[in-house]
Amino acid sequence: MIKMIPVLSFAVLCASATLAISAPGAGQQTVLDRYAAEAKAAAPAFAGFSAERGKAFFLAHPASGKPDTPSCTTCHTADARQIGHSRAGKEIGPLAVSATPDRFTDIAKTEKWFTRNCDSVLGRACTAAEKGDFITFMVSQ
Amino acid sequence: MTFRSMAIRGGSASLAVLLALAGPAAAAVDSAQAVTAKECGACHMVFPADMLPARSWTAIMAGLSDHFGENAALDPAAAMQIGGYLTTHAADASGMNKHALRGLAANMTPLRITDTPAWIRAHKGEVSPAAFTSPKVKSKSNCVACHAEAARGVFGDD
C-alpha cells in the first residue's frame, strides 16, 4: 500500500501536467479573446469555443478551395502533433501547442495564415468562431 | 552544361563587409533580404533572386493570391520590401549574375526557375524525370534535395 503512494502521486502529477498543457497560455488566450469578441459580435448567442468542433474542422475534407490543397491535412497531416510538409517539400512545425508552444500567440501571424489557408482550402474566409474552435483544438493537442 | 559557374558568387562574407562599409542604406537592404528569406522561406527554399529576371519577380509578386496553387498573400509593406529586394537583385539587375538569362527571350516572363532555358539545359539528360517526384525530392522546386548549398545560391554538381 505504501508503495502505491509514489505511483499515485506520479499519476496525479501527470494528470496536472496534462491539464496545464491543455490550458491556453497567455499568448493564445489573447488571440482567443479577440476571436471570441468577434464571434460574439457576429452572433450574440455565441457560447464559447469547442475543441471538438475544431477537431472536426481540422480533419474535414472540404475540397472547396484550390485543387492542390483540398484539406488542412494535405500539408499538416491528420496528426497535429506531427511535422507537416508544404507542397514544395519544406517542413512545417506541428500545429499542436504542446509541440510548438508559440503557436497562435502572435495575432498578425495567426491572421496571415488563416487568411491564406482558409482561402486555399475552403475557398472563403474562416469565421471567428471557426478560428477560435481550431485554436482551442490545437491548444488541447 | 552545369551551373558550376554560379557557384562562384559573392557569398555572405563579402555581404558582411559591404554592410559594415555602407551603413544605414545597406541595413535597409539587409532587412529586405531578411524579410524575403523569412516570408518566402516559410513554404519553400529561398530561391536566389538572380535566377529570374526582374519582370518575372514583378509578375510573381502581383499574383500572390494564387501562388502556384495556394494563397500566399502578404501585407502590403512586406510585399513592397520583398518585391524591391527581388527586382534589384534579379538576373538582369546591374551587377548581378546573368547566367539565368541565357537563352531566355526578352518577351518571355517565366514564373518558375524550372521553366528557364538555363535551368532546363542544366538538368536535361543529367537528372531523370522520376527523380523529381521521388518522395525525398517531392518537387522540382526543392533544389536543396540535391544541391545542399542551394539556399546560399551555390549550385555545383552534387
Side-chain angles (χ1 to χ4, degrees), chain A residues 56-101:
Chain A
F57 183 80
F58 173 65
L59 294 176
H61 193 85
S64 52
K66 300 186 191 295
D68 290 318
T69 51
S71 64
C72 306
T73 59
T74 303
C75 294
H76 294 290
T77 83
D79 182 349
R81 293 174 210 173
Q82 293 300 312
I83 287 169
H85 285 92
S86 78
R87 287 168 50 239
K90 186 118 183 171
E91 282 193 359
I92 305 171
L95 290 173
V97 170
S98 64
T100 312

Side-chain angles (χ1 to χ4, degrees), chain B residues 91-155:
Chain B
D92 51 351
S94 74
M96 299 308 295
N97 193 319
K98 312 284 186 226
H99 185 94
L101 300 175
R102 233 177 261 175
L104 185 69
N107 64 352
M108 279 176 67
T109 304
L111 299 180
R112 300 170 187 271
I113 293 166
T114 54
D115 285 344
T116 60
W119 188 94
I120 293 167
R121 215 167 37 235
H123 295 82
K124 200 174 176 182
E126 196 164 332
V127 186
S128 79
F132 292 117
T133 51
S134 76
K136 279 180 105 171
V137 179
K138 270 183 91 111
S139 140
K140 276 184 194 169
S141 57
N142 192 13
C143 312
V144 284
C146 302
H147 304 276
E149 295 188 274
R152 292 200 299 118
V154 178
F155 294 85

Side-chain angles (χ1 to χ4, degrees), chain A residues 66-69 75 85-92 112-113 115-117 119-120, chain B residues 39 41-45 65-74 138-139 141-142:
Chain A
K66 300 186 191 295
D68 290 318
T69 51
C75 294
H85 285 92
S86 78
R87 287 168 50 239
K90 186 118 183 171
E91 282 193 359
I92 305 171
K112 177 177 85 176
W113 286 104
T115 300
R116 290 174 164 188
N117 294 351
D119 180 50
S120 292
Chain B
E39 294 293 348
C43 298
H44 54 71
M45 195 198 101
S65 62
D66 191 358
H67 186 64
F68 305 105
E70 281 178 60
N71 184 323
L74 285 162
K138 270 183 91 111
S139 140
S141 57
N142 192 13

